[in-house]
Each structure stands twice: as C-alpha cells, then as structure tokens.
C-alpha cells in the first residue's frame, strides 16, 4: 500500500537545559571538535531516564521526544494525546518544519500546512483585507488562491464591516475569528493543527470543529493535538499517546482515548496514599477509595441502575475534632466533562470528624450513569462560617477511575444507550 | 527502495550543505511581494507625509554632508559640486547599509513567525532587498534630477562616461549581494550569540568612512588607498562616481575582485543561513 502520506521514523529531539550564552561556547567548540573527528557528542548521554518534569536530573540535556515512529495514511485524522510536557508540541514543530529533529527522519507526501497558532504574521497596522492576503501567503497560499476564496473567508469570519479597519482596532474575538477563517480555507493535503480550537466563543468553536470535519471529509489528512478528549473522539480516526516524550500507544482514536485514561488510571492505581498531586493542608487524608456492592464485595465495575457504595478510608493527623467539614465529589466522564456532583452541604449533611481513622460511606441507591469510563475527584474542606472561603484539607483530582456497564434501568428489556446520565421521564401523547 | 522516490519532502536532522531549495523559494514568490507591500504600507501608516519621507530622507542627509564635510571641513570632492558628490555616494551606500542592517536581524525579529509556520526563511531577507530596491529607485531618481541640473548648467564640469552606463545595474546588484551576504551571515551568527548585533550599528558607520563616500580615494596617500581598495564597496562607489561624474578612479580589476568577493560572501552566507534556519528556534 502506498497511501501512507506521513512516515515518522525514530524521531527524537534533544534540548539543552539552562542558559545559552556564557560558558556554552567552550562546550560548543568541544562538541564540534568531537563530531568533526567522527566521535560521539560528548554531551549527549543516552540511556538516562527521560523525565522532563523531574528536577533532579543530572543531565543538562533532555529529550523532548524520543524514538517516535508512526505512520499516517491518507484521509486519516490523527489525534495526538498527552499531558503537558509529553512532547506533543515539539512533535508538531518538527512535523511542521519549524525546527529540525535531532535524530530520525520524517517522510511526507503532499503539501503540508500547519496551524500552530492563528494569525501568524498579522501586522497590527494593516487592515483586515491586507492581513488576509499576508497571512494566507505566509501559510503557503498563492495570491490567486486567496483572491478566489476571499469572500468565503470574510463570510466565515463575520467581520465584514471592519474588513478595511486596521486589525489593531479589532476586538480579540474578531481578530481570532479572522485569523482562523484564513487558516480554515487553506487547502493542503495535510493539515497540522495545534489546540487553536480553544479560541472564540462556543458558537465559533463549533464552527471550527465543523470546518475541520469538512476538511477531513474531503480525503485530506489531518493531525490534531488536543487536551479535549471529546474533540479527539469526535474528529479523529486514529490516535497516538505520548508520555515523557515516548510513544505509549498507537491505534484507533477510541482506544487511544480509553488507553490514555487507562494510563492515567494506572497512575491513580498507584494507590491513593502515594499520590503526590494532592492539594490541601493534609490534616485529614483519604487513604483509600473504592466502591462496594450490596453484599459488601469490592466492585470493579458498576452497572447502570444498580446499588453501589463509595467508601473513603480516612486518617486524621491532628488531635481533636474538625468541623464544620464539607465533602464534595465530582464525577467526570472520559471527555473530562462533569457528569454530576455530590456535595454534603447541598444534601444538608453536616460533617464532623472526631475519630483518628475511619470510613466515610457514600451510598448510591441507583447509579444513574450510562455506560462508559468515569473518574472521581473529591475534596474535603473546612469552612469556619458562612462568609469564609473553603479551606481545602484534602483534594485529589481523578483520584479513582471506574467503569459503568450499560444496564436495563427501565426494565423494558432494552440495554440503555451509552454516554450521559439516565433521566427520569414519562412521555404522554395527547 | 522503490517507494523512496514517492516522497515529496523528507525532514532530516541535517541537510547537505548545498541543499538549497530554490524551487520552494519560487513557490513563495507571492509572499515576497506581499512582504514588500507590507513594508511600504505599514511604515507610512499614520504619518501625514507618508511616502514623501522617502524623498526627504536622502535630501537631508546629502545637505548635511555637504555642509559638514564640504563647507566646514572643506574636504575634497574631486572637483565636483559637493551636493552631487555626496549624493552619488550616499544613494548607493544607503542601499547597502539598509540591506545589511535590516537583514542582519532576520532571525531575531521574525522569531515569532518562524516559530509557528514554515516557509523558506530566505524569503524574508530577499523581501528586504526588494523593498529597499524600490527605495533606491526613488533616491536614484532624486540623484538623477540633481545630476541633470548640473549636467545642463554651463558653469560646472561633470563628464559622465556614457560608455560605462551599462555597469550601473551590475553595481547595484553587487551592493545588494554584499548587503544580503553580510546581513544574513550576521543574522545567522546572532541566533546563539547576540554580541554581533551591537557591532552592526557602528560597524556600518565605520564601513562608510572606509568606502570613499566622504573622502574620494584620489585624495588619499597610496598606502591607504591600497588598503581601501580591499574593501569591495570602495571600488563600487568609485565606479559609480566615475560613470556619473567623471571623477574618481575606475579600477576594473578591483571591480572584478569586488564581484568575486560578493559571490563568495553570498554563497557562504546562504550555506550558513540554511544550516542555521533548521534549528535556530531552539536557541534564538
């Protein structure tokens, strides 16, 4: 098959930490001398743990991405998923030729256009019209192409009235809309998009997503980076996961998303006690968190409509009782969208913890979530009085992940659809 | 192996030193034109006189030189009317100086754009060359007006060498080449070590005095003259004055040397530039 349009082979990119300038000229000469004699770069140590976030690394060299290999076929929409610092942006920069890789190579078939930012090269003093042409040319369009699409671009941006006004007088929303409109009308065979969709109001975002869908629908190849799982799922056909600069997973978008959550879940599985990403004073700490069923058995998977009990095992470090306490539990779906919240103050429950350790049991008579993967974020806080703000005692984001299996909640013999929560409703015909 | 030919583009850690993609430059020619347009439109937005400034600048410089060097310091102008003499030097010199200073910060000034989108980086310095060429055209026009005035006035003696007139475009081309060469070389070197940016300002000033703009080469002792001629700009400026004013010395061999110098510096500069452009984003 020769419909592979991008072939990435063993791509790596290395950065030097610290200042460029004083002291580096000697290193530079030394390195140059070694390479000139055909020796290895003396400052390039391979085999050390590649963790960009750890501060105690001995090396002043870091691999932003390392040994990445994947292929993209024509017409595919590839989502690149990863946490901050996983190397997504570096990979995009290499793909869009802003910077060269340190190792490996990338082979590309067709014209690439990259959108790492909207409005690149906009000149504040020029009018919207002039900037459309300039920006279009920077992105690789010819003047003829821009001219033929000019009306479409203006229409899409919705800034028709201000098209002859210098863009420095635009509101930031107008500016971004105009900039995206130009970018959206590029017609490359391969489009590389960074999280530019995080701009504009909801309506405009929807328009952009729609436009991107159009692009991919025309048999063009798109590479898309986002934190937004819903967008990745909705748009992409394929997905890869990066972690600490390494390729963790490559496959279809759906399984990439769940694998991403799975890998975070693994992180959560490190057991709650060991989690380092806690917030709060820590005078009370939740040490374990799990679901049990009616008979007291630990549940790994919940079933829609059935009973479950969420158990918090806590330990109090300070002496004496703390009150008034508030406990909040947030349940998010796999697109990181909040599905529901359970809060003690809302339920009218006043909380007081006296014992040094014990259990907090949250009883859920019927799980009203549809099938899918969900996460639990909890927060225990203290509030001295009505006016005071919450003082966080213990809070862990995505402390636990759990799966909900689709059930037959309405008892009609039909399995419920996935996604969302179950809404009680009756339908009457009149 | 057979598939290898199918790829339109291969992104590699390093390119071969001679790997300069002229086809890509040509493909982006529209961008070059738009950048030139931007240079003109943007600079004179919100000014009252607008493009008139293009005329005012060289006239004022020439008058200043005439007053300071001609009237006050009474320096030799090879028997030419001072204003014409200085104008001849300044016109060509300004082109070189502008090209050099504006291209010498290509990478630093455009880091924002370069960091986000790819296009052949050479487009930017080339657009500087072209937009300055238009400015040069305007200044040349002013010079020609003054020149024609003196040509027709009986009291002054200027003897243009019409037979060498065809050399003028070559001289301009050489100036452009030298400006571009030095400019992008400096720009490539400053991505990592900024020191050179401080030198550019007064380096250009110094070079002006070492290029027979102010002092004609004929008024110098032979030793200094020989040294001056190693500066390729000297022979270009002298040739320019020789052709239009009939004064100055026309050193054919030095002109050939200047041309060779220009070709070498441009080649080196482009090779260094295209090497640096691949990864300068990491250091700039």
């Amino acid at each position: 098959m020769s419909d592979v349009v991008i072939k990435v082979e063993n791509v790596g990119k290395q950065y030097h930490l610290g200042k460029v300038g004083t002291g580096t000229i000697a290193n530079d000469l030394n390195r140059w001398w070694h390479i000139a004699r055909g020796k290895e770069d003396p400052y390039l140590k391979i085999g050390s743990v590649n963790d960009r976030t750890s501060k105690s690394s001995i090396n002043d060299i870091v691999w932003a991405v390392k040994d990445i290999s994947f292929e993209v076929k024509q017409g595919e929409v590839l989502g690149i998923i990863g946490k901050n610092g996983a190397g997504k942006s570096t990979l995009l920069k290499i793909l869009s030729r802003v910077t060269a890789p340190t190792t490996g190579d990338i082979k590309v078939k067709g014209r690439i256009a990259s959108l790492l930012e909207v409005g690149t090269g906009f000149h504040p003093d020029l009018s919207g019209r002039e900037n459309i042409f300039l920006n279009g040319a920077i992105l690789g369009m010819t003047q003829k192409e821009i001219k033929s699409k000019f009306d479409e671009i203006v229409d899409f941006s919705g800034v028709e009235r201000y098209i002859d006004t210098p863009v420095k007088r635009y509101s930031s929303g107008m500016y971004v809309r105009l900039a995206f409109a130009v970018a959206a009308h590029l017609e490359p065979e391969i489009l590389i998009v960074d999280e530019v969709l995080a701009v504009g109001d909801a309506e405009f975002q929807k328009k952009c997503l729609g436009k991107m869908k159009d692009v991919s629908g025309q048999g063009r190849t798109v590479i898309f980076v986002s934190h937004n799982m819903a967008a990745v799922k909705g748009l992409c056909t394929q997905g890869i996961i990066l972690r600490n600069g390494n390729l963790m997973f490559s496959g279809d978008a759906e399984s990439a998303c769940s694998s991403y959550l799975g890998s975070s879940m693994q992180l959560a599985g490190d057991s709650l006690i060991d989690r380092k990403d806690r917030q709060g004073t820590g005078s009370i700490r939740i040490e374990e968190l799990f679901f049990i069923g009616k008979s007291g058995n630990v549940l790994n998977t919940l079933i829609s409509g059935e009973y479950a009990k969420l158990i918090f095992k806590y330990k109090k470090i300070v002496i004496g009782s703390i009150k008034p306490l508030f406990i909040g539990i947030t349940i998010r779906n796999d697109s990181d969208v909040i599905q529901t919240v359970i809060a003690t103050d809302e339920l009218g429950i006043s909380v007081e913890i006296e014992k040094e350790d014990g259990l907090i049991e949250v009883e859920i008579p019927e799980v009203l979530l549809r099938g899918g993967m969900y996460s639990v974020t909890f927060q225990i806080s203290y509030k001295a009085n009505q006016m005071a703000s919450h003082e966080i005692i213990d809070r862990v984001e995505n402390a636990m992940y759990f799966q909900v299996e689709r059930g037959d909640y309405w008892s009609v013999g039909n399995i419920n659809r996935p996604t969302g929560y179950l809404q009680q409703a009756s339908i009457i015909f009149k | 192996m057979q598939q290898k030919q199918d790829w339109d583009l291969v992104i590699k850690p390093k390119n071969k030193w001679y790997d300069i993609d002229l086809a890509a430059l040509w493909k982006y020619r529209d961008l070059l034109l738009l950048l030139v347009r931007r240079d003109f439109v943007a600079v004179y937005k919100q000014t009252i006189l607008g493009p008139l400034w293009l005329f005012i600048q060289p006239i004022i410089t020439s008058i200043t030189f005439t007053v300071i060097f001609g009237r006050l310091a009474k320096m030799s102008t090879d028997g030419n009317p001072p204003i014409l003499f200085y104008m001849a030097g300044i016109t060509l010199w300004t082109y070189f100086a502008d090209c050099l200073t504006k291209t010498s910060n290509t990478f630093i000034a455009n880091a924002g754009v370069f960091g986000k989108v790819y296009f052949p980086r050479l487009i930017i310095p080339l657009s500087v060359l072209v937009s300055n060429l238009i400015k040069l055209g305007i200044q040349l026009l002013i010079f020609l007006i003054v020149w024609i005035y003196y040509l027709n006035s009986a009291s002054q003696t200027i003897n243009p060498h019409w037979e060498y007139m065809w050399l003028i475009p070559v001289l301009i081309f050489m100036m452009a080449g030298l400006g571009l060469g030095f400019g992008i070389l400096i720009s490539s070197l400053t991505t990592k070590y900024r020191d050179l940016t401080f030198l550019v300002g007064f380096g250009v000033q110094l070079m002006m005095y070492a290029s027979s703009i102010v002092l004609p080469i004929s008024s110098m002792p032979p030793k200094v003259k020989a040294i001056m001629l190693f500066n390729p700009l000297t022979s270009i400026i002298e040739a320019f004055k020789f052709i239009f004013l009939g004064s100055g010395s026309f050193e054919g061999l030095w002109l050939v040397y200047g041309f060779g110098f220009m070709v070498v510096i441009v080649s080196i500069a482009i090779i260094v530039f295209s090497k640096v452009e691949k990864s300068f984003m990491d250091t700039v």
Side-chain angles (χ1 to χ4, degrees):
Chain A
M1 285 297 276
S2 65
D3 61 348
V4 174
V5 289
I6 301 177
K7 195 169 180 176
V8 177
E9 283 172 329
N10 300 318
V11 162
K13 175 85 191 170
Q14 158 211 312
Y15 282 101
H16 303 255
L17 296 182
K19 280 180 235 158
V20 177
T22 335
T24 54
I25 199 159
N27 290 356
D28 280 354
L29 289 173
N30 193 1
R31 178 178 297 119
W32 175 80
W33 176 234
H34 274 76
I35 290 166
R37 289 180 300 167
K39 288 196 177 177
E40 235 179 88
D41 189 335
Y43 297 93
L44 209 154
K45 289 185 189 114
I46 300 172
S48 56
V49 180
N50 182 40
D51 187 359
R52 292 168 67 185
T53 45
S54 83
K55 284 172 200 156
S56 57
S57 181
I58 319 140
N59 283 333
D60 63 342
I61 280 177
V62 116
W63 287 89
V65 292
K66 202 175 173 187
D67 296 334
I68 306 270
S69 302
F70 61 89
E71 286 181 358
V72 188
K73 295 200 177 81
Q74 201 204 329
E76 278 182 355
V77 182
L78 176 76
I80 300 178
I81 317 167
K83 287 194 184 149
N84 284 331
K88 301 181 304 275
S89 300
T90 308
L91 187 59
L92 278 204
K93 275 187 179 170
I94 295 170
L95 279 170
S96 49
R97 289 209 276 168
V98 162
T99 186
T102 314
T103 61
D105 52 35
I106 299 169
K107 293 169 181 135
V108 182
K109 205 185 293 174
R111 193 168 79 150
I112 289 194
S114 54
L115 265 180
L116 303 193
E117 177 192 69
V118 290
T120 311
F122 263 39
H123 194 291
D125 277 316
L126 296 182
S127 70
R129 182 189 304 277
E130 288 162 328
N131 269 313
I132 288 178
F133 278 93
L134 185 63
N135 187 233
I138 286 176
L139 293 172
M141 283 195 262
T142 63
Q143 231 169 326
K144 221 173 100 189
E145 276 178 281
I146 306 165
K147 227 172 248 166
S148 69
K149 286 194 193 129
F150 186 81
D151 292 332
E152 244 179 281
I153 292 172
V154 176
D155 219 41
F156 188 85
S157 67
V159 296
E160 226 169 329
R161 262 189 75 192
Y162 311 97
I163 201 67
D164 288 311
T165 310
V167 291
K168 64 179 173 186
R169 313 221 187 288
Y170 279 30
S171 75
S172 52
M174 282 157 65
Y175 186 95
V176 163
R177 287 211 305 274
L178 182 69
F180 188 87
V182 182
H185 288 81
L186 271 172
E187 281 186 351
E189 280 106 21
I190 302 162
L191 183 65
I192 298 175
V193 190
D194 204 352
E195 290 167 294
V196 284
L197 293 172
V199 298
D201 53 19
E203 194 195 341
F204 189 70
Q205 279 189 22
K206 220 181 259 172
K207 218 165 147 184
C208 298
L209 281 169
K211 188 76 196 172
M212 293 230 340
K213 260 194 183 138
D214 285 355
V215 168
S216 55
Q218 290 158 9
R220 276 194 235 115
T221 312
V222 181
I223 295 181
F224 178 59
V225 162
S226 183
H227 278 125
N228 186 344
M229 285 294 159
V232 171
K233 268 193 178 173
L235 282 169
C236 301
T237 56
Q238 303 297 114
I240 60 172
I241 301 172
L242 296 182
R243 194 200 299 166
N244 286 339
N246 297 310
L247 188 66
M248 299 302 291
F249 178 90
S250 168
D252 63 284
E254 194 79 27
S255 43
C257 282
S258 45
S259 169
Y260 176 67
L261 289 166
S263 66
S264 317
M265 193 162 56
Q266 227 174 27
L267 216 73
D270 280 354
S271 88
L272 203 51
I273 310 179
D274 298 334
R275 287 282 286 263
K276 296 278 184 292
D277 54 340
R278 282 170 185 271
Q279 287 173 267
T281 58
S283 49
I284 297 170
R285 274 166 68 119
I286 301 298
E287 298 193 322
E288 272 180 70
L289 179 60
F290 51 90
F291 278 108
I292 59 169
K294 232 173 196 152
S295 51
N297 54 317
V298 175
L299 290 177
N300 292 317
T301 308
L302 309 186
I303 297 163
S304 272
E306 296 200 353
Y307 174 94
K309 203 189 255 178
L310 183 58
I311 310 282
F312 291 86
K313 205 170 160 191
Y314 71 84
K315 188 164 229 161
K316 181 160 64 81
I317 295 162
V318 290
I319 300 158
S321 78
I322 309 177
K323 76 170 197 175
L325 288 176
F326 295 86
I327 300 175
I329 299 159
T330 306
I331 294 176
R332 290 195 177 86
N333 70 1
D334 56 355
S335 303
D336 226 21
V337 178
I338 294 179
Q339 295 298 297
T340 191
V341 174
I342 302 165
T344 51
D345 55 340
E346 193 181 283
L347 294 168
I349 301 166
S350 52
V351 185
E352 177 178 2
I353 288 181
E354 278 178 272
K355 284 198 287 179
E356 259 176 38
D357 49 42
L359 302 177
I360 303 165
E361 297 186 347
V362 181
E363 208 170 342
I364 302 166
E366 285 177 330
V367 175
L368 293 180
L369 296 165
R370 289 171 184 268
M373 182 75 87
Y374 296 89
S375 74
V376 178
T377 295
F378 71 83
Q379 172 179 316
I380 300 176
S381 59
Y382 166 79
K383 196 173 162 183
N385 55 55
Q386 278 287 315
M387 307 304 284
S389 57
H390 284 273
E391 184 196 342
I392 298 173
I393 293 172
D394 195 22
R395 175 188 173 95
V396 179
E397 292 274 347
N398 302 333
M400 178 181 68
Y401 287 84
F402 64 95
Q403 183 90 40
V404 176
E405 220 164 79
R406 291 152 70 181
D408 176 18
Y409 177 66
W410 316 111
S411 313
V412 291
N414 284 333
I415 294 290
N416 309 135
R417 290 176 174 80
T419 337
Y421 54 91
L422 294 154
Q423 174 64 52
Q424 195 80 45
S426 55
I427 299 173
I428 302 155
F429 297 92
K430 279 184 179 168
Chain B
M1 284 316 274
Q2 172 233 342
Q3 227 188 16
K4 215 173 174 184
Q5 274 109 37
D6 288 1
W7 304 110
D8 295 332
L9 169 74
V10 178
I11 302 170
K12 282 177 300 195
K14 279 187 182 98
N15 280 350
K16 296 270 164 31
W17 61 271
Y18 50 81
D19 207 359
I20 292 142
D21 197 353
L22 290 175
L25 270 182
W26 179 245
K27 247 171 68 187
Y28 276 88
R29 61 192 183 279
D30 279 349
L31 176 59
L32 192 144
L33 294 178
L34 283 164
L35 287 171
V36 171
R37 213 183 105 80
R38 178 197 68 180
D39 281 352
F40 276 91
V41 176
V43 169
Y44 299 108
K45 281 248 163 121
Q46 286 200 5
T47 58
I48 297 167
L49 296 178
L52 268 182
W53 282 109
L54 281 175
F55 292 86
I56 298 168
Q57 274 166 340
I59 291 174
I60 290 184
T61 321
S62 303
I63 291 172
T64 319
F65 274 42
T66 310
V67 170
I68 293 174
F69 297 118
R71 292 281 150 79
L72 296 178
K74 298 223 188 314
M75 286 179 180
S76 156
T77 57
D78 272 355
N80 294 306
I83 185 128
L84 201 57
F85 178 84
Y86 293 120
M87 255 189 165
I90 288 167
T91 306
L92 221 50
W93 170 260
T94 314
Y95 181 51
F96 167 78
D98 282 355
C99 284
L100 194 154
T101 40
K102 291 237 178 77
T103 53
S104 71
N105 64 1
T106 304
F107 282 125
I108 293 170
N110 294 286
V113 179
F114 285 176
K116 294 296 177 191
V117 63
Y118 175 81
F119 53 85
R121 307 317 196 196
L122 214 46
I123 287 285
I124 297 272
L126 286 178
S127 79
V128 170
L129 243 54
V130 174
S131 60
N132 278 314
L133 197 63
I134 297 169
K135 277 186 207 158
L136 172 73
I138 293 168
Q139 297 185 357
L140 217 50
L141 194 74
I142 303 167
F143 170 75
L144 287 178
I145 293 169
V146 179
W147 179 66
I148 289 167
Y149 167 79
Y150 279 108
L151 207 58
N152 294 328
S153 73
S155 60
Q156 297 290 347
T157 49
I158 48 172
N159 309 299
H161 290 86
W162 298 100
E163 69 274 21
Y164 289 117
M165 239 2 143
W166 59 271
L167 261 179
I168 297 297
V170 180
L171 297 180
I172 292 170
F173 181 73
M174 285 170 75
M175 279 301 204
L178 287 167
L180 176 78
F182 282 115
I184 63 175
L185 202 57
I186 292 167
S187 145
S188 309
L189 298 178
T190 47
T191 54
K192 208 161 183 185
Y193 307 105
R194 298 272 171 102
D195 308 54
L196 269 177
T197 42
F198 300 105
L199 282 173
V200 172
F202 63 93
V204 166
Q205 284 280 324
L206 276 177
M207 245 157 117
M208 184 179 82
Y209 293 106
S211 316
S212 77
I213 313 284
V214 179
L215 272 173
I217 205 161
S218 61
S219 69
M220 292 175 191
K223 240 186 186 167
V224 180
K225 184 179 162 180
I227 296 167
M228 291 272 285
L229 278 171
F230 272 105
N231 174 0
L233 295 166
T234 309
S235 49
I236 299 174
I237 304 254
E238 283 294 313
F240 187 82
K241 285 178 181 164
F242 176 78
I243 293 167
F244 275 108
L245 308 177
S247 71
S249 51
F250 183 79
E251 315 264 359
L253 219 56
W254 281 111
L255 218 50
V256 174
Y257 154 79
F259 199 86
F261 188 97
M262 185 269 292
V263 171
V264 171
I265 196 86
V266 167
S267 314
I268 293 174
I270 289 182
I271 289 165
V272 173
F273 188 87
S274 53
K275 196 173 154 57
V276 166
E277 72 171 14
K278 293 215 74 172
S279 57
F280 85 99
M281 270 323 293
D282 307 336
T283 51
V284 75

